[in-house]
Amino acid sequence: MKKILLATIALSMFATPAAFAQQYRGDHDQGRGHGRYEQQHRQPQMKKHDYRKRWSKGQRVPSHARGNRVDYKRHHLNAPPRGYQWVENDGQYLMIGIASGLIAAIANAGR
């Protein structure tokens, strides 16, 4: 009985460091985006010329493609509600959520 008990304790002592090392590696990799979820659900990186398109309501505009903020009065646009702003992007005025980048309204820039 003592031999079985001692063998079990010895085995658990050798297995514990390996389990901790494996867990640490998993935590470390998740922070760098090497996990399975990140590889399957990674958004494709947009190049600068990829965002020049026709936008539609409900789409999310990436932060690098949000264009220049415009004065809505000067361009005869409706006042944006709190938390929104008008931006100009490739011939279109987009009313987007400041935090989310979701398009709430669109107007043509009349070029």
Side-chain angles (χ1 to χ4, degrees):
M1 185 71 178
K2 284 185 181 181
K3 288 182 182 180
I4 295 173
L5 183 61
L6 288 175
T8 305
I9 292 172
L11 183 61
S12 68
M13 289 176 64
F14 288 118
T16 303
F20 281 122
Q22 199 171 27
Q23 180 183 2
Y24 173 75
R25 180 173 168 78
D27 292 344
H28 182 68
D29 285 349
Q30 283 179 354
R32 294 200 174 171
H34 298 296
R36 249 187 212 154
Y37 179 83
E38 287 85 1
Q39 289 175 355
Q40 291 173 357
H41 298 91
R42 185 175 296 152
Q43 295 292 327
Q45 294 293 325
M46 294 182 72
K47 297 178 183 167
K48 267 197 167 179
H49 64 276
D50 287 342
Y51 69 86
R52 295 188 178 265
K53 65 175 191 167
R54 295 291 173 219
W55 297 99
S56 60
K57 189 175 176 180
Q59 286 183 314
R60 184 179 309 273
V61 180
S63 60
H64 70 274
R66 292 187 185 168
N68 297 322
R69 189 174 185 180
V70 296
D71 180 18
Y72 66 91
K73 291 178 185 175
R74 184 173 159 214
H75 296 283
H76 307 289
L77 300 168
N78 294 332
R82 187 177 197 170
Y84 289 85
Q85 67 182 2
W86 283 101
V87 296
E88 193 272 329
N89 186 303
D90 197 34
Q92 290 181 309
Y93 294 124
L94 309 173
M95 183 193 303
I96 61 171
I98 294 172
S100 65
L102 288 177
I103 299 174
I106 300 175
N108 287 326
R111 287 185 180 185

